[in-house]
Amino acid sequence: QVQLVESGGGLVQPGGSLRLSCAASGFILSIRVMGWYRQAPGKERELVATITRGGSTNYADSVKGRFTISRDNAKTPMFLQMNSLKPEDTAVYYCNAVVILVDRSEDYWGKGTLVTVSS
């Protein structure tokens, strides 16, 4: 089992910055991939960025060059640095962790943190 808790959301003006954090507990050494997803009102949940245990990253085209995902090691929180925020970045941001087991993979989710970009 893995538990995930997000923090750092809030209200920010267009062009501003926020840093989201995701703290993991439980079987954290079994996590292979972590990521951030978001869901805007009336829309489906979408990928924002992922980072593998080895440090490889992947970003949605809509956030490339503006957002940076990071995680120092398996025992430290994961972060999402968001710069040059736009109103269309407004959404609930969810932390995700993927655990690879012998015969299957398991997904874990946090409860989300709201990011509102508005003047």
Side-chain angles (χ1 to χ4, degrees), residues 96-114:
N96 169 263
V98 179
V99 171
I100 306 298
L101 304 176
V102 174
D103 58 346
R104 67 188 188 279
S105 64
E106 293 183 348
D107 271 81
Y108 295 90
W109 295 91
K111 293 183 178 180
T113 184
L114 177 63

Side-chain angles (χ1 to χ4, degrees), residues 41-77:
K43 295 187 177 181
E44 294 186 351
R45 189 173 297 188
E46 63 176 5
L47 168 73
V48 176
T50 61
I51 185 166
T52 68
R53 188 171 182 175
S56 297
T57 59
N58 179 56
Y59 296 91
D61 288 343
S62 60
V63 306
K64 281 182 181 177
R66 300 188 298 123
F67 290 11
T68 302
I69 190 171
S70 63
R71 187 183 186 213
D72 286 341
N73 59 60
K75 298 183 179 180
T76 59

Side-chain angles (χ1 to χ4, degrees), residues 5 20-24 34 70-79:
V5 178
L20 305 183
S21 300
C22 175
M34 292 190 73
S70 63
R71 187 183 186 213
D72 286 341
N73 59 60
K75 298 183 179 180
T76 59
M78 176 180 66
F79 299 100

Side-chain angles (χ1 to χ4, degrees), residues 26-41:
F27 295 132
I28 58 174
L29 295 182
S30 62
I31 296 173
R32 292 297 181 263
V33 182
M34 292 190 73
W36 290 96
Y37 291 73
R38 67 187 181 186
Q39 187 166 18

